[in-house]
Each structure stands twice: as structure tokens, then as C-alpha cells.
Amino acid sequence: MSWRDKEDLGTQLVAHVHESLRIPGDYSLDRDRGFEWWASDYCQRVWSDLGNFHNASTVYRLHAEIDFLQANGHFEEAKPAFAAAMAEGSLNAIVYDPEKDLIKLHSSIYGQDENVNWVHRVFNAVIALQICEVHRMAQRFAHDFKMSHAMTEHPTKGGRKAPDPICEFEERFFKPYGANESRWVGVEEWDEGRQALRRISKDLKTDYKLCLDATFDWNYGHRDMALLVSAVDPHPILGNGLLFALTTPVMMEDALKSQVAMMLNEHERKDWNWYNDLGTWCLLDGELTFFSFVPNVCYVEGILRDFCHDMGLRANWVNEHWAEFVRTDWMHG
């Protein structure tokens, strides 16, 4: 099925991206339920999975993924640096394709009728931020770890003569909006966020204006997992917005935490976990953390509530499956 037919919500959401971001037809290619395109020299793919019936509605998982770096055999040594750098990420995770020795940024959203309003805005932001983050970070890692830029060309049109305007969105939109006060300061949704976590958290508190704190069971240490949701902790590059940080108190060396972060990113990429994969596992202040930042320009009702719920589900998922993760040969290899 082509996304152009718009025969279900998934392909309709893909079509919305193509139309609202004005993806140029001469630098894109249709790929089944999605498309790939070149905003500059990096290939980005956008697609929808087939629908999955869940809780009385059909859910479609939308993906955005962009080629980042050809690792040239240096991915293992670069993991700690990637894990630290992604603490300055936003809505995307670093994932690795060992067969191609290729590093990519990936994000996914579960779209359904109930959340279409914010999915439109956030998914567009994901796509623009992927492109901007690749341009911002690729040069550093290529230099420091002897990697190559994963640059390709359109198979018939060749390379672009000039980058697409989306390459400037970080400077034109994300940063200027982020210079203003967070759009989430004082909104009524803080109570909705509390309600979303009330039954799945261990302890919970909020001032209903600026932040929310929650804890979750952690069966492998003396501390609980901790979630911070904040409208007053700015992003170091994008400015103000809404920050989510879920800290997992594992006792291991930073190098191993970095491996775990990459492994968890890959699990979230390939598995239908029924929560949005918007953000990344990384090392934040030395702690294994899932970090997500929603820029001010993305503000729309429903984000705070749904992201809080996702974080609670993610915390329970990690706690439930942790023993399986640490037994894998991947972890000990």
C-alpha cells in the first residue's frame, strides 16, 4: 500500500508529514507505507507500520530514521561518547546497524485517533530535529573516532545543489521559541500528568505549575527509579520546553552503562512496547537515564499527560525485563 492512498490513519499521518513539511518530490522516493528523502546529503526514512488493534482502537506505529555515521569499526570505542552526547538530545535515539556498521538516529510514535492533534506537531519536529542533530554532531564524531559521514545521493537526481530549508529549522524555529518561557509553565495539564502516573508509580508529587517527581520500583538496588518532569530545566541548545528524565540506579562502570544505553535504544526501536519512543537512553550526570525533551514550538494539549504515562510504562518495562538484559551475551561481550 502506498502512503499516497491514505487508506488508513498510519498512511494519513505519513502524508501529513510529506505535505506539511513540503518534502520535494524530486529528492524523495516512495517506499511502500512511507518514503525516503534527502534534505541534504543524509538519507532519511519516514514510514508507518501496519495497524495493530489494541484497547478497542487501531494503533499505527510511525517511524523516522536518518543515516548518521559509517562507524568504520569504531562504534564500540565511541559508545561512551555517544551516551554522554545524547544527554543533549531531544526526541531521537542513537541506534546501530551492525550488518552495515551504520549509526542512525531513530524515533517512533504510536498514532491513533485520540492523539492525532499532538502527533502531527511532534512527529514533524522529530523529523526536523533528526536532520539538524545529524548536521550538528556528525563532524565531531567523524573527527574524534575516525568515522565517515553516512552521505548518499538520490539515485537519479544526485546530490542536492542546496540544502532543504528544514536544515535551518533549529536556528529559525526551535531556538527562538525556546528563548521564551516554557509553554508548560502553569498549565492545567500538570494534574493530568499526575493522574496518568498515579496508579503505576510508587510515590508521586507535583506543584501543579512547574514540575513533577515520581518514583518507581527497582528490584536490583537500594534506590528506586526516579522520574523528573520539568518546565524550568532548559535544554542546553534548544532552550525552554518540557524535560523528562527517568533515572535507573544501576551500579556499574560508565563504559558498561553506555553499552546498556545502546542496547535499550535498540530494544525500544525494534519492539512494540505500546509507548512512544521519543527520546534516548543515555548517560546524564553519570546515571543511566532515559532523556526526552519537547521543544517549546511543539506545545499542544495532551503531550504532558501522554509522555508522563509513557515514562511510567517504560519504568515498569525496564524493571520487569532487566534480568533478561543483563544475562545476554551482548552485555558481557
Side-chain angles (χ1 to χ4, degrees), residues 19-32:
E19 294 163 4
S20 61
L21 293 180
R22 300 179 181 178
I23 305 297
D26 52 348
Y27 284 102
S28 65
L29 294 171
D30 288 358
R31 299 297 189 200
D32 193 18

Side-chain angles (χ1 to χ4, degrees), residues 61 65 75 79 82-84 86-87 91-96 103-108 257-271 273 275 277-283 288-291 314 317-318 325 330:
R61 192 180 185 197
E65 188 170 85
F75 182 62
K79 280 180 183 177
F82 277 123
M86 291 311 290
L91 297 169
N92 298 292
I94 283 182
V95 295
Y96 176 63
I103 300 165
K104 299 178 279 190
L105 294 184
H106 176 267
S107 185
S108 66
K257 289 179 187 175
S258 301
Q259 290 191 31
V260 174
M262 297 300 133
M263 178 190 67
L264 292 174
N265 282 338
E266 183 57 31
H267 273 284
E268 294 210 13
R269 175 186 176 276
K270 69 182 182 181
D271 296 340
N273 285 329
Y275 54 75
D277 179 19
L278 295 166
T280 186
W281 286 97
C282 62
L283 260 64
L288 178 63
T289 301
F290 187 89
F291 179 85
R314 177 173 283 108
W317 171 76
V318 171
F325 297 149
W330 190 98

